[in-house]
Amino acid sequence: IMIGWGQEGLPPFSLGYINLLAWVGIIPVSVMVAPLGARAAHKMNVKALKTFFAMFMILVAMNMWRKILMGG
């Protein structure tokens, strides 16, 4: 919030870089869906879960590098 305070061009209902409308939407959905994710993770094979998470993290890292190297 403090870093983005006073920045121009931010969407309405923003406190710095925090958009309150997005926050109000994300929090309840996260609270409702978190138990489903935990239940699914406990039912999965540990090796499969670790592999899936590793692949996800690799994709996230590749996307970050793409944005850095290609300019967004």
Side-chain angles (χ1 to χ4, degrees), residues 28-70:
V29 173
S30 297
V31 169
M32 289 187 300
V33 177
L36 298 173
R39 208 171 306 130
H42 281 43
K43 288 182 180 180
M44 285 182 74
N45 177 332
V46 174
K47 185 174 180 179
L49 184 60
K50 285 182 178 182
T51 302
F52 174 78
F53 186 69
M55 290 171 47
F56 174 74
M57 294 304 293
I58 289 169
L59 287 173
V60 169
M62 288 171 52
N63 188 44
M64 292 172 121
W65 277 109
R66 179 189 61 82
K67 287 181 179 181
I68 290 170
L69 298 174
M70 305 282 185

